[in-house]
Amino acid sequence: MSEDASVNTGATGWPDVSTAAVVVRRMQTKLHCWAVTDGDRRFDDLYNLVCDPAFLMVAWQRVAGNKGSRTPGVDRVTVAWITSRVGVEAFLRGVREKLKSRAFQPVPVRQVMIPKASGKLRALGIPTVTDRVVQAALKLVLEPIFEADFQSCSYGFRPNRRAQDAIAEIHHFTTQRYHWVVEADIEACFDNIDHSALMDRVRGRITDKRILALVKAFLKAGVLTTAGTTEGTITGTPQGGILSPLLANIALSILDDEFTRRWERDMGTANQRIRRRYHGEATYRLIRYADDFVVVVKGERSDAERLREEVAAMIAPMGLRLSPDKTRVVHIDHGFDFLGFHIRRMRKRGSNKWFVYTTPSKTAIAAIKGRVKTMTYRHTLHHDPGYLMRYLGMVLRGWANYFRHAVAKAIFNAIDSYTWERITAWLRKKHRIGWPELRRRYCLPGTWRLTCDGVRFRGAASVPVTRYRYRGYRIPTPWTPTAATTS
């Protein structure tokens, strides 16, 4: 396909999943290449891609494969219900006909309030399955175009980028004497984005009026509150929608663009940075993950305070403001929390050298211990021990993988010991037996220093067993005494 050719595929058949994925990836590659090659190019005739069977099929797979597929919207329809009662192809055919006839209209999202770590409640909007599929198809079309414009300092909700990359960049700059940090958070970012300002930024790349109308329709869809009333959405993108993270990144790219422009113009080379420091001016860098971001500053505290005021002025046109409770200026020696990590410069034990360390934050440690405690409390005694071990194994492996690059060996060992203490106490309550009988029945390794009834056991494991493992320690299945343990 040449560059000037229309992107209208004209497809009529319904491809299988693998074929659809290949078609979508090829078209996304073309859109991204065109956007990168011509930074001023504005795209038209994209609506037909949203209606294309391949894009709808991939969108369905992403919606159905998501954990939230079991959660219905206001129509109480789930992915499982559609699969069993309607059929996937019939459902997608109906969605496509509505889109092509311009009869599709998003319905209000269902509001759900979930607790936050601070004790407050966060409002989530759950769209219907139909709206999720259309949003996913719309994201497949828009994301490769806007990815060409997003800056490298943004890491949240972007392909091939993760939180650990943002932490690594912060670690790099703080090691290079960027010692003052503006730790910032945007107050209710997803709820306060100005629709007019957001649509202006979308129009900078998209001229297809049908696409613009569809995006605006999702922004104005409204919310069905927990009280049963329908409220309009004057500002913001309801958090929980598939399209919301992309729209939030488009809105917050105004911050990325300004900091990148300043860096390339005034601080892009080593000579420019040396010259600024010679004249008493600070150098700084932005690292953003969704609505959480930090600005690392090589200078004085006054420079960081001034940048905080400038950041507030940058995001004001988008209808956003900084949270006064979560925005502060801190020195790297005092440390700060970001994305679950605690970043702080400390003296290496046994030397006079100082290094920047990243460790799991106290909040993250308390959260994982809370999940272990909840799962091993007395109200879960009716569960099968095998289910308990599998669940805790998945939770702790995921937590450890997230923090695997942090300095956390002692923390991992402490959490591991805490988990085994909770598990053994849970098994004793379930079977109403003491530690010696429990160890004999389940062949628990005696090398663990677990205190039970004031006695420490350090002997060797009695009988070799197979199957269920948790961090290398074998647990038998099924969870009944075996012939070896009863002999």
Side-chain angles (χ1 to χ4, degrees):
M1 178 182 291
S2 64
E3 182 177 349
D4 297 329
S6 172
V7 294
N8 185 355
T9 60
T12 57
W14 289 92
D16 54 43
V17 177
S18 58
T19 304
V22 172
V23 172
V24 170
R25 179 52 60 92
R26 287 177 179 174
M27 183 53 66
Q28 285 183 317
T29 302
K30 291 180 180 180
L31 293 173
H32 184 71
C33 290
W34 294 341
V36 170
T37 304
D38 187 359
D40 297 327
R41 177 167 182 163
R42 304 175 70 192
F43 289 80
D44 197 359
D45 195 21
L46 295 177
Y47 190 77
N48 292 308
L49 287 179
V50 179
C51 306
D52 187 78
F55 278 78
L56 290 176
M57 180 62 71
V58 174
W60 166 263
Q61 289 298 321
R62 295 193 176 184
V63 172
N66 190 276
K67 185 178 180 180
S69 62
R70 295 172 292 181
T71 307
V74 294
D75 58 357
R76 298 297 177 182
V77 174
T78 62
V79 169
W81 188 91
I82 293 174
T83 304
S84 60
R85 300 292 185 87
V86 181
V88 176
E89 186 172 330
F91 169 75
L92 294 179
R93 204 177 292 276
V95 173
R96 183 169 187 260
E97 290 301 324
K98 288 183 180 180
L99 289 172
K100 289 180 68 66
S101 62
R102 304 292 299 278
F104 174 79
Q105 187 66 31
V107 298
V109 299
R110 182 167 67 92
Q111 187 182 70
V112 176
M113 307 300 292
I114 62 173
K116 300 172 63 175
S118 60
K120 300 180 181 179
L121 295 177
R122 173 183 287 131
L124 290 183
I126 303 176
T128 62
V129 176
T130 303
D131 290 354
R132 283 181 239 173
V133 171
V134 177
Q135 286 190 33
L138 194 58
K139 183 181 179 183
L140 290 173
V141 176
L142 297 181
E143 189 174 53
I145 297 174
F146 286 98
E147 272 294 320
D149 298 332
F150 291 158
Q151 304 296 336
S152 61
C153 60
S154 171
Y155 293 92
F157 305 118
R158 294 184 60 187
N160 299 322
R161 285 173 171 261
R162 56 181 184 170
Q164 289 84 352
D165 297 330
I167 298 299
E169 186 168 356
I170 295 174
H171 183 275
H172 168 74
F173 280 105
T174 51
T175 304
Q176 302 296 324
R177 295 189 298 172
Y178 286 74
H179 292 164
W180 287 103
V181 180
V182 180
E183 183 189 1
D185 178 81
I186 300 177
E187 185 175 12
C189 175
F190 286 87
D191 299 330
N192 295 329
I193 295 177
D194 185 79
H195 288 173
S196 299
L198 174 60
M199 291 304 299
D200 288 341
R201 295 192 68 83
V202 175
R203 291 189 190 97
R205 274 296 197 177
I206 308 299
T207 59
D208 192 332
K209 294 183 178 180
R210 297 168 295 179
I211 292 288
L212 297 174
L214 190 58
V215 173
K216 191 172 183 179
F218 280 117
L219 292 175
K220 301 292 186 181
V223 176
L224 179 65
T225 64
T226 54
T229 60
T230 303
E231 298 180 355
T233 48
I234 303 175
T235 61
T237 62
Q239 191 170 356
I242 295 177
L243 199 60
S244 296
L246 176 61
L247 296 179
N249 272 334
I250 294 174
L252 293 175
S253 62
I254 187 174
L255 191 64
D256 306 337
D257 295 341
E258 177 61 23
F259 272 89
T260 302
R261 183 184 63 82
R262 292 185 181 186
W263 178 268
E264 294 177 349
R265 184 191 62 187
D266 302 329
M267 299 167 279
T269 65
N271 289 335
Q272 288 178 321
R273 293 191 290 271
I274 293 174
R275 190 179 303 114
R276 287 179 64 88
R277 295 299 303 137
Y278 179 78
H279 292 287
E281 298 178 346
T283 57
Y284 44 87
R285 186 76 170 180
L286 171 73
I287 299 96
R288 182 177 67 85
Y289 190 94
D291 57 336
D292 296 326
F293 62 91
V294 297
V295 181
V296 290
V297 183
K298 182 188 288 188
E300 304 297 332
R301 182 184 181 92
S302 58
D303 299 320
E305 295 284 357
R306 175 178 51 81
L307 279 172
R308 180 171 61 177
E309 302 301 326
E310 293 181 4
V311 168
M314 292 177 194
I315 62 177
M318 300 301 303
L320 304 174
R321 67 188 187 96
L322 297 178
S323 173
D325 299 332
K326 298 181 181 180
T327 302
R328 61 180 184 140
V329 175
V330 63
H331 196 273
I332 191 61
D333 289 348
H334 298 156
F336 65 98
D337 293 343
F338 188 66
L339 303 179
F341 290 83
H342 182 73
I343 307 172
R344 184 178 180 182
R345 191 178 69 159
M346 296 181 291
R347 183 178 62 85
K348 184 179 179 180
R349 186 171 56 183
S351 69
N352 290 323
K353 297 182 179 179
W354 290 71
F355 297 94
V356 176
Y357 291 90
T358 58
T359 59
S361 65
K362 293 182 179 179
T363 304
I365 297 172
I368 190 62
K369 285 187 175 181
R371 294 192 67 176
V372 173
K373 184 177 181 179
T374 301
M375 197 58 193
T376 54
Y377 205 60
R378 64 181 62 187
H379 72 274
T380 63
L381 291 176
H382 65 282
H383 283 305
D384 181 73
Y387 168 78
L388 175 71
M389 296 298 292
R390 286 193 299 270
Y391 177 82
L392 290 179
M394 290 187 296
V395 169
L396 292 172
R397 277 196 301 271
W399 190 87
N401 281 332
Y402 183 82
F403 293 104
R404 66 185 180 273
H405 301 300
V407 182
K409 181 179 179 180
I411 296 175
F412 287 165
N413 291 335
I415 292 175
D416 199 24
S417 299
Y418 174 81
T419 303
W420 268 100
E421 291 174 6
R422 295 291 307 183
I423 289 174
T424 52
W426 184 87
L427 289 173
R428 289 180 59 215
K429 290 179 183 178
K430 182 177 180 64
H431 299 290
R432 297 181 181 179
I433 58 179
W435 167 254
E437 174 63 21
L438 183 67
R439 179 185 167 207
R440 188 177 69 86
R441 180 181 296 188
Y442 288 114
C443 305
L444 294 178
T447 54
W448 267 92
R449 300 180 180 181
L450 298 180
T451 303
C452 182
D453 298 331
V455 181
R456 285 187 180 272
F457 296 91
R458 300 189 184 184
S462 56
V463 183
V465 294
T466 57
R467 298 301 293 172
Y468 287 116
R469 291 170 177 252
Y470 172 73
R471 291 200 64 180
Y473 307 107
R474 298 179 176 182
I475 303 298
T477 182
W479 288 84
T480 53
T482 61
T485 58
T486 56
S487 60

